[in-house]
Amino acid sequence: VLKVLSHIDSVLRSPRAPPLIYRRSKGPAQSCLKEKGQECGFEHLPLAIEMWADQLMALKDLHKSLKKLSLELLPWHATDPQDNRESIRVEDLQFIVDAILEEIENKEKNSQKPSLPTLSAIVSHFQKLFDVNSLIGVYPRMNEVYTKLGEMTNAMRNLHELLELDSSAPPTVVVDTVGKLCDIINKKVTKQVQQLLGTQDIHRIINKLEEHECFFPPFQALIQDLLCLLEISNLDDILPTVRNLK
C-alpha cells in the first residue's frame, strides 16, 4: 500500500499534475504517515477522482453534441471509424471545432466574391455608362477613364491650392469661385481701359472709325484707277509720274 501511495504521491507532485489535485495536510487528524514520517496529501483525492469521472462523462456528451453540429454544417465529411471508441480526447473535440471554424471562414470568403450574374451586370452597366459596344473595348475604355480621372483629380487639386479652398470643396464651389474671379478681373480691366482712354477719347475713336468707313472705300477706288491709268503698281510712283506728265 505504501508503495502505491508513494507512486501516487510522485505523480501528483510532478509539474504536469494540476495544482488543485495535491493539497498538503493541515492537521494530525487528517494526515497519514508514510515511511520516514513523511505526510501524504490524499484526503481530497476521492473528490478529485469523482470530479474527473464527471468531466469524462461530460466530455463524451460534448463530443456527441459536436458531432451532431458537424453533421449539420459539414454533411459531406466522412465519419471517423474511431468516433465510437470509449476514450474521448480533447484533441478529438478540437479537431471537430477547427473543421467547423474553417468551413465557416470559407463560406464567409465565398460570400464576399461576386457571382457570375453580378459580374456580367457590372460589365453591362459599364458599357452603358461609357458607350462601349463590345467586351474587347471595355479594358481600353477603363484605362482611358482612369487616365482622365487622374488628370481631373490633379487639376482639381491644383485649383484648390491656387484658390485657397479646402480640399473637401466640391467641384461646383471651384467653378463658382473661378467665375467670380473672372468677373472681378473683367471689371478691373474695363475700368482701367476707361481710365486710360477716358470717355471722350472713346467716343472720338468711335467717330474716327465711322469716318474711316465712309472715306476709305472711295479713296481706295480712286487710287486703283490712278494706278491703272498711269500704268504703275506702287503708290510712291504716282506723284513722280504725274509731275512728268505736267
Side-chain angles (χ1 to χ4, degrees), residues 3 36 135 157 182 215 227:
K3 290 182 179 180
K36 299 181 182 180
L135 292 176
R157 185 185 301 112
C182 292
F215 170 76
L227 292 175

Side-chain angles (χ1 to χ4, degrees), residues 63-107:
H63 183 261
K64 293 179 181 179
S65 299
L66 287 177
K67 287 303 297 180
K68 290 181 180 180
L69 180 61
S70 177
L71 290 175
E72 290 291 334
L73 298 177
L74 313 174
W76 54 87
H77 279 202
T79 303
D80 190 351
Q82 297 181 353
D83 286 346
N84 297 325
R85 62 189 176 185
E86 291 295 329
S87 60
I88 303 298
R89 300 175 302 174
V90 176
E91 291 83 353
D92 301 330
L93 306 182
Q94 187 65 45
F95 177 78
I96 299 175
V97 173
D98 291 341
I100 294 175
L101 290 177
E102 182 179 359
E103 181 64 22
I104 293 175
E105 291 177 358
N106 292 335
K107 285 185 177 180

Side-chain angles (χ1 to χ4, degrees), residues 104-166:
I104 293 175
E105 291 177 358
N106 292 335
K107 285 185 177 180
E108 291 178 353
K109 292 179 181 179
N110 294 331
S111 64
Q112 295 175 357
K113 295 181 180 180
S115 61
L116 183 61
T118 302
L119 293 176
S120 178
I122 292 174
V123 173
S124 300
H125 188 61
F126 180 88
Q127 290 181 269
K128 183 178 180 181
L129 288 178
F130 298 99
D131 194 20
V132 182
N133 297 325
S134 63
L135 292 176
I136 300 177
V138 170
Y139 280 111
R141 185 57 58 86
M142 282 184 176
N143 295 332
E144 181 182 353
V145 171
Y146 178 79
T147 302
K148 295 295 183 182
L149 179 61
E151 294 175 354
M152 186 191 70
T153 302
N154 292 332
M156 292 299 296
R157 185 185 301 112
N158 294 332
L159 286 174
H160 279 93
E161 294 178 356
L162 291 174
L163 299 175
E164 297 181 354
L165 295 174
D166 187 78

Side-chain angles (χ1 to χ4, degrees), residues 40-57:
C40 58
F42 306 137
E43 294 83 358
H44 69 292
L45 190 57
L47 297 177
I49 295 176
E50 290 179 2
M51 180 188 69
W52 289 353
D54 294 339
Q55 292 298 318
L56 289 175
M57 293 301 298

